[in-house]
Amino acid sequence: MTIDVARIPDAPNRRLGDTPIVQHPYIPLTDDDRKAMLATVGVRATADLFADIPAEHFRPEIDLPDALTELELLDHTRTLAARNRTAADNACFLGAGAYRHFRPSLIDPLVMRGEFLTSYTPYQPEVAQGTLQTIFEFQSLVCELTGMDVANAGMYDGASALAEACLMACAVTGRKRIAISDRVHPNSIATVRAYAHGRDIPVEVQPHGEFSLSDEYACLAVQQPDFLGRMAVAASEWGDAAHHAGALFVVAADPVSLGLFRAPAQYGADIVVGEGQSLGVPLSFGGPYVGLFACREKYTRQMPGRIVGETTDTNGRRGYVLTLQTREQHIRRERATSNICTSQQLIALSTAMYLATLGPTGLRRVGELCFDKAHELAARIEHLPGFSVEDDEPWFHEFVVRTPKPPVEINAALLERGIIGGLDVSDIRNRMLLCVTEMNTADELDRMVEALAEVSR
Amino acid sequence: MNDNRLEPTLHELSRPGRVAVTMPAPSRRANIPPELLRDELRLPEISQLDVVRHYTRLSQLNYSIDTQMYPLGSCTMKLNPKVNDAITAMPGFADAHPMQTADQSQGSLAVMHGLQRILAEITGMDDASLAPLAGAQGELAGVLVIKAYLESIGEKRTTIVVPDSAHGTNPATAAMAGFNVVAVQPQPDGDMDLEHLREALEEHGPTVAALMITQPSTLGLFDRNIVQVAKVVHGHGALMYGDGANLNAITGQVKPGDLGFDVMHINLHKTFSQPHGGGGPGAGPIVVKEHLVPFLPSPHVVLDAGGSTLEAGSNRGSSNLHPPASSFALVDPPFSIGRLGAFHGNFAVLLRAYAYISSLGGEGLRAMSEAAVLNANYIRARLRDAYYLAHEERTCMHEALFSAKKQKAQAGVKALDIAKRLIDYGYHPPTMYFPLVVDEALLIEPTESESKETVDAFCDAMLAIAREVETDPELVRTAPHTAPLGRLDEATAARKPKLRW
Amino acid sequence: MPTPDDRRYSKEHEWLKADGDEGSIGITEYAQEQLGDIVYVDLPEAGSSVAQFEKMGEIESVKAVSELFSPAGGEVTASNAALVEKPELVNTDPYGEGWLIRIKTGDTAEADKLMSAADYDAFVQGLG
């Protein structure tokens, strides 16, 4: 295969080998070092160390763009970044699972400290107390937010956390059928399907609010707020229905909404998962994020993922360790609760810093600001000719607008005015899912209303 | 502060009424249905300085690559260039929303498409998927791709063969994908035992879907039988799954695709320098041969020839648009195994890998693996008299596998003790007790990032510890002595779990 | 610790101590030594049944998990509730307070398939 350099735009065409660059900044061994080391090893050339590789396959042609210096690399990537239209210089009303929230300035310099950024999984607790304590604190914060008893150190993202929760429900109940609401994010449903297919477990997507369960079902999974932004008042009835059928009630919740709304534990959740991204994590085109995962205490041993616990050292001093590791793949192998062996630690850390910084007042305010601004925009759009807001259920910071034209056309026109519009959720009608957070300024709301009025004319 | 705490928890730092940041007041009173509201929210209330000090102090309790050598075998703890962080922080990337349409995301998609092609080229495969969010998820994706492919050709195969020296993720993954696991053992010289493999394949015959194998192996050796192994496996109609955990040793030296692998996952947080972050995030792209491309996870980045139909349930909203010619698009492969997460993969991780590979180029990647292997062999040569070497007769790849069995016999000093004593010398311990097939294993991986002086100083420390085992074994058995804490009581932690404040 | 000769032993390092038509079951000193600090024991509930040499539960130390194989078949009459709070009893008193389950034994011939204390000691010796 040949990589056409032109398709990787703006890479200067210069090979590392063209000019005798002896040293690369990432590889410190000098020629003298190599000579001395080869002598100690007792071989003549480095190639001899690769003698086990079949000669006919050794050192093949590698067709890659040429090496870039740091200066060139920054230039190249800046050019690529400029090809994105982003929330950095456009008003953004897009949510649908990833949300732009305020990120307090102290997070970046702290989370990017090399001692956090470049450390490994804390298997050696004596030299990883920093990471371990932050995980213990993260678990505690997730418990406070969700109202659950125990939480793990983090999952890949919200969607995969939901998938793992459904599989865990199957392990707990010994049943092989998953019921999931059709108002769960479609990408989350797709993720649950992919995971469940591995174990040949059927996934049934049921109409929201009209759930039908029997003793075959391992769980009922719902999302709060749901994919269309709505908060269900009837959630506790669903929890009762799940429990009545002997199934677990799994709730995927947006953690920012939990600053304002009742915790899923209050309406019967057995497992709560969530997309941690909304806790001030940059959008970054979809990742890395972190999945939140919490459950009732009695299910602790069936929980996937890493868990940190408190203990003491030989001198009686308090410390933290990875614990209950026998659930995990490196010990239980094919009988593990999951194969996961990351906790998205750096992102989890950043969300813990976010919660520690905002505190209860700050998080509640973020929720109130989102709620207010979104409802203000909805009320103003409702007055625009041709538009109407679907307002039959309470909602948080996302809402569905019926539009007079296809959302694709509206969004294209909005983008010309420096606005990233909402997600196209058209069924037989033209519908658009809009999101407003505390990041949307009063001026942006004005511009949005004005632009919608214009484009619908 | 109590004596027994290194640092109070956030909860202990909290005082009612304190704030670290204030948010603007809402302009009007939120009119929220009262039955939906929560009554209490017990988050910590801490001043800004206390938050900053808390995390700064905690960070100082960690060992890290930025502060010392981290010779963890199988983990490839190499330099994490700061320029890569600067690139991911560029607003054009950091503020890109994953649900934006493809035409608004051409910069991000160009990076992803470029990386797909680069990874395929490096590994000698035909295409790549960047969707898997971690190495273990890449494994799951790879095995699900195998399952889907076999189903598509009408084969019901239910077994995966895994060497017992494998990472625990391999059998765990096979189980998650609904397969039974059969273990095979390596020969004494570390290579795959062809006879045993043939027997296993014959015994389980037409039920074997794949062999999952790490190359170079977890013993730090390049399997000299690999081409033969692939032929035997393919001869039984099964596929070759490559665990790319040890790719750092062979990048630019050999392409796994040329050796007969059909699918492989790559740990970007190992070979391609994504910082480990204390346990993630990483990313686990998979690369596949042509026959497996239609089954790759969603979404997949393609070069759109211009105006063609875009099948993209994944980025609905873009599906109705017609991007200009020569642009990139996200699509669902025709027989995709489906989605592994909410969006398109861990983009910022992918971006760092793209930046890292761009900094090295093809020649640089070759120089990288060469230096990594030379460093490991140098350590092997310097320590072989003091420590038992698992495969004495062979040179190693990027990691050297020792055993503390000599020290254990001599003075009852275990691998764990030696590892903990290294902490006192300022090094992170190497990997211990893995691979499971070697008693008292000490697996040392220096990577290409370390200079000769650092590697020498590390070897000096290992030799000093070997002498201490002879002269003062108690000193080693009770290490560490200079770390923030002594050894921790893991038994009590597991017996009486305290998992939150 | 000498291996008590009031009971019979399996190659899986479990013991069976008969007491009328009931029997109690546990793991041996050698087994607890090999496992290290026991942190959790997963046992069959009273009322369930176990079969000789078949899996009856799991025992976990900090960094290992092992399956438990019943040395005899029968209906479980009790499992050791004290181990929930104090799994370390298996370490400190494997032949006494660290017992795992009691069963109503059925087939008396099963005991013949187990070893005497002396034979078990020799067996363990052979393991090196």
Side-chain angles (χ1 to χ4, degrees), chain B residues 299-460:
Chain B
H300 190 228
V301 184
V302 296
L303 188 67
D304 183 49
S308 69
T309 318
L310 297 179
E311 276 301 317
S314 54
N315 63 330
R316 205 176 153 187
S318 73
S319 55
N320 301 323
L321 290 179
H322 300 285
S326 274
S327 64
F328 301 103
L330 285 162
V331 300
D332 293 335
F335 304 104
S336 174
I337 58 161
R339 272 194 168 273
L340 302 166
F343 302 110
H344 326 304
N346 282 340
F347 177 78
V349 177
L350 306 174
L351 179 57
R352 279 194 180 87
Y354 176 85
Y356 185 74
I357 295 167
S358 301
S359 301
L360 284 163
E363 292 304 311
L365 288 173
R366 225 192 285 272
M368 166 187 97
S369 51
E370 250 180 59
V373 169
L374 178 55
N375 268 346
N377 276 284
Y378 182 67
I379 290 174
R380 180 180 172 278
R382 282 209 56 197
L383 300 185
R384 63 182 303 166
D385 290 338
Y387 293 92
Y388 175 84
L389 192 56
H391 295 280
E392 207 182 12
E393 70 294 350
R394 304 177 59 175
T395 57
C396 65
M397 296 302 285
H398 63 308
E399 55 194 359
L401 177 57
F402 293 95
S403 158
K405 65 166 88 162
K406 200 190 274 183
Q407 285 71 22
K408 194 176 173 188
Q410 216 168 43
V413 171
K414 295 178 288 185
L416 177 78
D417 304 322
I418 291 163
K420 297 294 185 194
R421 182 64 181 147
L422 264 175
I423 290 172
D424 291 333
Y425 283 85
Y427 299 94
H428 192 278
T431 296
M432 293 168 274
Y433 303 103
F434 180 85
L436 307 174
V437 291
V438 173
D439 280 343
E440 298 295 327
L442 283 166
L443 187 62
I444 300 174
E445 178 178 6
T447 82
E448 73 283 1
S449 305
E450 301 297 345
S451 67
K452 179 169 181 294
E453 300 86 271
T454 306
V455 171
D456 272 325
F458 169 77
C459 290
D460 293 343

